[in-house]
Amino acid sequence: MCVRSVPRASIPSGFDSSASMKGPSIPSVDVRKEGISGETSLSNGSLDGGSSFPPPPEKKLPGGCGFSPGARSWRMDARPRMDTGAPSPAKVAVEKEGKRKRGSKKVSAGNYGGYYGFRFGESEDDPRVDALQEEWVRGKRVLDVGCNEGRVTLRVAKKFQTKFILGIDVDGKLVQKARKNLWEARKSCKKARLETDDADVKPLEEVSFSSQDIDELELSEGIDTILCLSVIKWIQLKKGDEGVKRTFRKFERWLPAGGWLVLEPQPWLSYRQAFRKGQVDSSQLVPLDQLRFRPKDFVAYLTQDLAFRLVREIRDQGQGNKSFVRPIYVFQKQ
């Protein structure tokens, strides 16, 4: 059968010349009126016969890459990310989450969660422990005042093989973390027992932690060394000038002649900053204008009013957050 072509001038109105001769033309769809986004085509989802549906959403991948399910190849939405030395997005997210958690809890005694990470970063070392001398700590009975999560306590116990060491803190939750860290340290040491000397395990068996206020603490046996690192400020802000002097008098009473006091006081500027920190409940602190006993007066009080003599002042502690570089004073009971 032959088909005679129809002259263009004689094509009736309404007849679609592009349509197949097998059937009538199908009206086009106005996507703006129908509420369908995107172009209607076979490549993005038009059905045979002219019905159409919206294209599937495009999935985005990190780094500017995208892959469309209907496509056959990858494409790049942006140039590759250059290494500028800045922290990765994942690390930034972790730091932000840490700050959020720290800020969600109001503290009033310096009981910050994640304190060591903020002060020393990712380092497992504490330069204050490295600054201690064998004579002050090795084989001694030690009290760690304001132990936080117990990192210093455990490092001192293992490095200097203390006879025993007790860490105290007013925050029961931090003490629970310290006990968990102790359990993990013991487990790690015992696991490596075949490769290490038994002395590395034994000192950790004489470590304990207790949730105690310094005013309520009474020791059942004598001690040789007291560590009081970056905690005196909080005792003073909670208990006033007399609270600090009372604590120093307790140290004098607990230590025998020849005993050691390792003291790291915070500078006065740090007292002022405590009232500006959003995570500190300043309503529970003693106002600064009521404090007359300043950190610069501590050495004179300990050596003139109490029976201590200053043996060493340590200023260079090496690594860590520079805002935490503070002098450490080592006293011996006379």
Side-chain angles (χ1 to χ4, degrees):
M1 179 180 69
C2 68
V3 179
R4 186 175 52 143
S5 61
V6 180
R8 191 170 188 82
S10 62
I11 295 178
S13 60
F15 184 86
D16 188 357
S17 61
S18 63
S20 170
M21 296 298 293
K22 294 181 180 179
S25 64
I26 299 175
S28 61
V29 179
D30 188 341
V31 296
R32 292 171 295 180
K33 293 182 180 181
E34 297 296 329
I36 302 174
S37 60
E39 299 177 356
T40 55
S41 65
L42 289 174
S43 61
N44 66 11
S46 76
L47 295 172
D48 187 18
S51 298
S52 61
F53 57 87
E58 185 180 78
K59 296 183 179 181
K60 294 290 184 179
L61 297 176
C65 296
F67 182 76
S68 180
R72 296 185 178 180
S73 61
W74 292 92
R75 66 180 179 83
M76 295 296 294
D77 291 334
R79 294 179 180 178
R81 188 173 293 155
M82 301 298 292
D83 183 8
T84 60
S88 65
K91 184 175 181 180
V92 171
V94 170
E95 291 176 353
K96 286 184 178 180
E97 179 66 12
K99 290 180 180 179
R100 186 190 67 78
K101 289 182 177 180
R102 287 196 298 270
S104 63
K105 175 187 176 183
K106 291 287 186 179
V107 302
S108 60
N111 47 323
Y112 299 106
Y115 169 79
Y116 294 113
F118 178 69
R119 179 164 182 172
F120 301 111
E122 299 178 357
S123 174
E124 292 294 328
D125 298 327
D126 189 325
R128 298 175 298 178
V129 177
D130 297 332
L132 299 177
Q133 292 189 2
E134 299 273 330
E135 180 185 6
W136 309 334
V137 193
R138 179 165 291 279
K140 305 292 186 182
R141 300 167 296 178
V142 181
L143 172 65
D144 184 10
V145 180
C147 65
N148 200 272
E149 297 176 2
R151 191 159 117 179
V152 168
T153 316
L154 294 172
R155 283 213 65 216
V156 169
K158 188 171 183 179
K159 181 175 181 178
F160 297 101
Q161 300 182 21
T162 55
K163 186 175 182 179
F164 78 78
I165 184 167
L166 169 64
I168 65 169
D169 201 286
V170 294
D171 192 322
K173 291 185 177 181
L174 289 179
V175 169
Q176 289 179 0
K177 290 182 180 180
R179 288 170 177 165
K180 180 181 178 181
N181 291 336
L182 171 60
W183 180 84
E184 291 176 349
R186 285 174 175 169
K187 183 179 179 180
S188 177
C189 286
K190 290 178 180 178
K191 186 176 180 180
R193 192 166 188 171
L194 296 177
E195 302 175 5
T196 60
D197 190 89
D198 288 348
D200 289 333
V201 179
K202 187 176 180 180
L204 297 182
E205 297 174 355
E206 300 299 330
V207 179
S208 60
F209 295 98
S210 177
S211 179
Q212 292 274 354
D213 186 291
I214 192 68
D215 281 342
E216 301 171 357
L217 179 65
E218 292 298 334
L219 300 176
S220 59
E221 55 183 303
I223 54 175
D224 305 307
T225 302
I226 295 175
L227 304 178
C228 187
L229 306 176
S230 288
V231 69
I232 281 294
K233 174 182 77 173
W234 298 106
I235 294 176
Q236 190 168 12
L237 287 176
K238 290 286 290 183
K239 305 174 184 295
D241 292 347
E242 183 55 33
V244 176
K245 293 180 179 180
R246 185 167 58 247
T247 298
F248 286 159
R249 291 195 296 267
K250 271 199 165 189
F251 291 168
E252 180 191 40
R253 186 171 73 251
W254 287 339
L255 288 171
W260 301 94
L261 169 61
V262 182
L263 177 67
E264 182 191 31
Q266 295 98 319
W268 183 249
L269 177 61
S270 176
Y271 285 64
R272 296 184 180 278
Q273 292 173 340
F275 284 85
R276 296 196 292 266
K277 291 182 177 179
Q279 66 266 41
V280 175
D281 186 359
S282 58
S283 65
Q284 298 187 35
L285 305 181
V286 177
L288 291 180
D289 57 8
Q290 296 182 20
L291 302 179
R292 299 288 183 269
F293 189 41
R294 301 293 180 87
K296 61 183 179 61
D297 304 322
F298 293 169
V299 173
Y301 180 79
L302 288 165
T303 57
Q304 297 176 17
D305 294 56
L306 302 180
F308 288 100
R309 69 182 183 92
L310 180 62
V311 174
R312 182 72 57 85
E313 178 179 349
I314 305 171
R315 288 194 172 270
D316 184 10
Q317 301 171 36
Q319 64 192 18
N321 190 325
K322 297 305 180 183
S323 63
F324 284 94
V325 176
R326 301 161 178 169
I328 294 178
Y329 300 98
V330 182
F331 301 89
Q332 188 174 33
K333 168 82 174 290
Q334 296 181 340

